[in-house]
């Protein structure tokens, strides 16, 4: 059965800290891995990773994929209170369905 | 450009009733997917439609159905509502189903 597992499930840090969120997967036919930030309702797209070893970066956020070891990490440097959210990792299979398989999410709380 | 729009934003229904949720994708996107998210979990895939055809169905009972219209908007229908159907229902649109998926604000359904 296809599975995506995120760790830790929750994390509390102080502003300015750096955090690393983990996502491991077991998927029959892998196409890409996506990261989303969910604050209240709508998950907001962060990154889509398809190739191993190529870091994607957006401001203080960065992510990388390891297709050999079947995991991805999301790094957030110099955290701010506005980074407090649930971070979701999802894997897209190579079939025609467009089905995203989500992990359970990591809840990040950044304290002032 | 408008993002993905969903209606209504909130809904309260009684057990046994029927509900219709609506989604308009980003202009130019031809694929719409529906997800159910219960508290504390990642979204679960319900359906994907592309060019008005169902491309994928998740592990949900036949009480759940959907369709996509010629303008690529979509409806999710749920019959004979159960308490366990209470959740956030998310719609995601993408260009062709295996590209980045962007989510709407969701419909919060409460079944009492």
């Amino acid at each position: 059965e296809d599975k995506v597992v995120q760790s830790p499930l929750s994390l509390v840090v102080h502003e300015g800290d750096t955090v690393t969120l983990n996502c491991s997967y077991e998927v029959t036919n892998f196409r890409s891995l996506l990261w989303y930030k969910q604050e209240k309702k709508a998950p907001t797209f962060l990154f889509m990773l398809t190739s191993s070893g190529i870091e994607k970066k957006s401001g203080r956020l960065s992510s990388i994929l390891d297709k050999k070891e079947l995991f991805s990490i999301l790094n957030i440097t110099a955290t701010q209170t506005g980074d407090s959210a649930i971070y979701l990792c999802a894997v897209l299979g190579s079939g025609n369905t467009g089905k995203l398989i989500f992990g359970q999410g990591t809840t990040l709380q950044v304290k002032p | 450009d408008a993002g993905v729009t969903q209606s209504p934003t909130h809904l309260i229904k009684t057990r046994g009733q029927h509900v219709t949720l609506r989604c308009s994708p980003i202009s130019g996107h031809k694929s719409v997917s529906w997800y159910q998210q219960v508290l504390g979990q990642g979204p679960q895939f319900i359906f994907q439609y592309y060019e008005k055809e169902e491309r994928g169905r998740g592990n949900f009972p036949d009480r759940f159905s959907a369709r996509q219209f010629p303008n690529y908007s979509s409806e999710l229908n749920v019959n004979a509502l159960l308490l366990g159907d209470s959740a956030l229902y998310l719609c995601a649109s993408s260009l062709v189903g295996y590209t980045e998926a962007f989510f709407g604000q969701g419909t919060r359904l409460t079944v009492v």
Side-chain angles (χ1 to χ4, degrees):
Chain A
E1 184 185 341
D2 294 341
K3 191 167 59 172
V4 177
V5 177
Q6 294 184 243
S7 64
L9 292 181
S10 65
L11 194 53
V12 180
V13 301
H14 287 92
E15 273 191 317
D17 288 349
T18 293
V19 297
T20 298
L21 309 184
N22 303 293
C23 176
S24 64
Y25 61 91
E26 293 175 29
V27 174
T28 309
N29 294 300
F30 175 89
R31 183 189 290 271
S32 57
L33 185 144
L34 295 86
W35 284 97
Y36 290 88
K37 177 183 181 182
Q38 186 174 30
E39 291 179 84
K40 289 193 176 168
K41 279 190 172 182
T44 305
F45 173 78
L46 296 175
F47 298 111
M48 180 172 175
L49 303 151
T50 306
S51 302
S52 256
I54 298 174
E55 185 183 51
K56 292 221 172 175
K57 204 167 166 63
S58 176
R60 296 176 295 102
L61 276 67
S62 64
S63 184
I64 198 160
L65 173 67
D66 186 328
K67 288 167 74 173
K68 184 179 175 188
E69 300 297 329
L70 308 182
F71 79 90
S72 173
I73 60 172
L74 175 69
N75 281 318
I76 309 174
T77 58
T79 52
Q80 302 171 356
T81 55
D83 295 327
S84 296
I86 298 171
Y87 290 84
L88 294 165
C89 170
V91 170
L92 183 63
S94 62
N96 280 337
T97 68
K99 172 183 176 181
L100 287 171
I101 303 161
F102 281 87
Q104 64 272 59
T106 293
T107 301
L108 173 65
Q109 183 183 359
V110 182
K111 291 187 171 182
Chain B
D1 256 351
V4 181
T5 57
Q6 291 187 242
S7 63
T9 54
H10 294 86
L11 205 48
I12 300 175
K13 289 285 190 178
T14 305
R15 276 177 297 175
Q17 285 189 314
H18 161 271
V19 68
T20 298
L21 311 181
R22 295 178 174 83
C23 172
S24 293
I26 293 169
S27 177
H29 285 195
K30 297 182 178 181
S31 174
V32 169
S33 298
W34 288 95
Y35 291 82
Q36 181 196 66
Q37 187 178 25
V38 299
L39 203 60
Q41 295 182 23
Q44 297 291 312
F45 175 76
I46 309 175
F47 287 109
Q48 192 225 357
Y49 278 79
Y50 176 68
E51 290 278 18
K52 295 168 286 178
E53 289 189 6
E54 182 185 300
R55 285 292 182 90
R57 174 186 285 254
N59 190 21
F60 281 81
D62 291 344
R63 299 184 295 108
F64 289 76
S65 64
R67 54 180 175 167
Q68 187 177 32
F69 298 100
N71 66 353
Y72 303 112
S73 68
S74 178
E75 281 182 356
L76 175 70
N77 294 286
V78 187
N79 292 325
L81 285 166
L82 303 173
L83 296 179
D85 295 331
S86 296
L88 179 66
Y89 288 85
L90 294 163
C91 171
S93 90
S94 58
L95 270 171
V96 292
Y98 54 81
T99 51
E100 298 94 325
F102 299 90
F103 284 84
Q105 288 292 317
T107 295
R108 173 73 64 189
L109 173 66
T110 303
V111 182
V112 297

